[in-house]
Amino acid sequence: MRVSGDIPAVAGAEITLLVEAYRQLLPIIDQADISQMARCHHLLYVFGFDDTGALGEIGDAKELAARLKLIAQVGKYTTLPAQREKRASFLPFVGEAGRLLQTLRQLSYHHNRLYKDLLSLSYWGMMLIILLNEGTRTELLRDVVEERYAIPYRDQRLALLHDFVQSVLPDCPADEADFHELAGRLSAIQRERRAQTEAVALARLLDLPFDDDEDWQITISVPYAGSERPAVLAPNLNLSVRPDPDGAWRIRLNNAERKQFSEWDGKVTQNDLGVEGLGKGNLANFPSWVRMLKTRRGFDLDLSASDIQVGRKRSAAKKIADWLKT
């Protein structure tokens, strides 16, 4: 458990030794110098207690094996979208939803005391099982939406939770009024966050044909003047825009020497080229900024030859092309 992060399956006669080993680990769980140790949400769920209280300890080897099977399931997939797509594979574990809810509540939904780790597959796998159970999903949403716990990185976690709620919502009976009401409130929170992004402001400015809840993306690739290479291939300038409150736009500029400039929502993350960034709040001024790169810094980029990708929204591409000319 300390070295590899795995909780071993042992025979009934060895469970007492296993529990004692866990007791000795409790003071050092989530320490910086033991990054591979099993996480506190795994350990609390399996062993049934931590340094703050008890849920109910392991009864026998069969019970241990069943809990370890769930731990294996919640960490099985490589991405969160894959988890949601395969949610039927989590249905055999919905009988554990009550214990999982108790586990996360005892941890104040903070599954890892040291790392940010927002995309933890095992954490979100547990959340998915809770959401698949009619008897626990409303309580989970009430905990989060009504801010019963001081959840770390709340905005980002709400956005991820919204994706999981939307994945199970079609299978939830209409008579689960409280759950549907809370899910609606969660959606309203996400719409408000989206509405505050520079991406949505730009879409409104250009009158682009996107729906309020649509997960759209704009990708603009600008080649250097006279380049015979496709605009999407480096060296070039690339701008991607989407209504994501945690990353609405990103710029990448590179040259033939493979030096690069990167900026994300106004935060410069790399600047080998020594250029002035577009800056937060200035997405609508992108065409002017590109022209400034030419006049002040000699980056001869050809906006008129840009490759514009917006999915099937051809009318949007035309409006974006007109904007680039401004």
Side-chain angles (χ1 to χ4, degrees):
M1 290 184 288
R2 184 182 190 278
V3 177
S4 69
D6 296 325
I7 303 171
V10 300
E14 298 177 311
I15 286 181
T16 300
L17 292 175
L18 182 64
V19 171
E20 182 56 33
Y22 169 57
R23 289 186 194 279
Q24 293 182 31
L25 285 180
L26 276 174
I28 58 172
I29 290 173
D30 289 344
Q31 296 296 311
D33 59 339
I34 318 175
S35 61
Q36 297 305 312
M37 183 185 291
R39 297 298 177 219
C40 56
H41 60 305
H42 293 182
L43 296 167
L44 176 56
Y45 166 71
V46 172
F47 288 102
F49 68 94
D50 63 7
D51 50 4
T52 65
L55 305 175
E57 297 186 21
I58 301 172
D60 53 31
K62 183 178 179 180
E63 192 172 79
L64 172 63
R67 291 179 187 173
L68 293 181
K69 187 176 180 180
L70 183 145
I71 293 297
Q73 175 65 28
V74 296
K76 185 176 181 180
Y77 300 97
T78 56
T79 66
L80 299 184
Q83 273 190 339
R84 295 193 293 269
E85 183 179 343
K86 300 293 185 180
R87 58 188 177 278
S89 299
F90 291 79
L91 289 173
F93 301 95
V94 295
E96 288 293 290
R99 184 180 179 85
L100 291 174
L101 181 61
Q102 286 182 300
T103 297
L104 297 184
R105 279 175 163 174
Q106 187 154 317
L107 296 171
S108 297
Y109 292 93
H110 197 168
H111 65 289
N112 189 322
R113 299 163 184 165
L114 182 63
Y115 302 101
K116 186 175 180 179
D117 197 20
L118 290 173
L119 303 180
S120 167
L121 289 167
S122 59
Y123 174 81
W124 288 106
M126 289 181 174
M127 295 284 270
L128 178 56
I129 292 171
I130 296 169
L131 288 170
L132 288 170
N133 186 304
E134 184 175 345
T136 54
R137 54 186 169 223
T138 299
E139 288 305 305
L140 168 61
L141 274 195
R142 187 169 285 118
D143 284 349
V144 177
V145 173
E146 296 184 352
E147 300 186 54
R148 292 180 171 182
Y149 296 85
I151 298 173
Y153 308 104
R154 175 179 168 77
D155 287 343
Q156 294 87 343
R157 288 189 190 276
L158 282 178
L160 291 168
L161 177 59
H162 179 257
D163 291 339
F164 277 85
V165 170
Q166 291 303 304
S167 74
V168 304
L169 200 57
D171 298 322
C172 297
D175 61 2
E176 288 188 54
D178 288 347
F179 180 74
H180 284 279
E181 188 269 334
L182 288 163
R185 288 167 60 183
L186 181 59
S187 291
I189 292 169
Q190 298 316 301
R191 284 194 298 272
E192 179 60 25
R193 290 191 72 217
R194 280 171 55 107
Q196 300 304 315
T197 64
E198 288 188 70
V200 170
L202 180 65
R204 289 173 177 167
L205 175 69
L206 303 183
D207 192 26
L208 301 180
F210 299 134
D211 296 330
D212 289 344
D213 293 326
E214 185 175 349
D215 187 19
W216 53 266
Q217 180 165 329
I218 299 168
T219 303
I220 302 171
S221 300
V222 187
Y224 284 89
S227 174
E228 297 181 358
R229 294 166 61 85
V232 296
L233 299 179
N236 66 356
L237 169 66
N238 178 274
L239 168 68
S240 60
V241 183
R242 56 183 306 225
D244 183 347
D246 301 308
W249 57 268
R250 186 172 187 177
I251 290 172
R252 188 197 68 248
L253 170 67
N254 46 48
N255 64 10
E257 288 75 40
R258 297 186 179 181
K259 292 183 178 181
Q260 183 164 295
F261 165 83
S262 297
E263 184 177 5
W264 194 325
D265 269 358
K267 181 179 180 180
V268 175
T269 57
Q270 184 176 350
N271 198 355
D272 304 332
L273 301 172
V275 303
E276 178 183 345
L278 175 61
K280 190 171 183 63
N282 294 316
L283 179 59
N285 298 325
F286 173 76
S288 299
W289 178 75
V290 175
R291 294 186 183 91
M292 179 275 293
L293 290 177
K294 179 179 180 179
T295 57
R296 296 186 187 177
R297 303 306 304 269
F299 291 91
D300 192 8
L301 296 155
D302 187 358
L303 281 169
S304 66
S306 297
D307 179 271
I308 302 169
Q309 300 292 328
V310 285
R312 298 181 179 180
K313 301 290 180 72
R314 293 185 179 180
S315 62
K318 175 64 169 60
K319 291 180 177 183
I320 293 168
D322 290 341
W323 168 60
L324 293 178
K325 297 174 185 176
T326 60

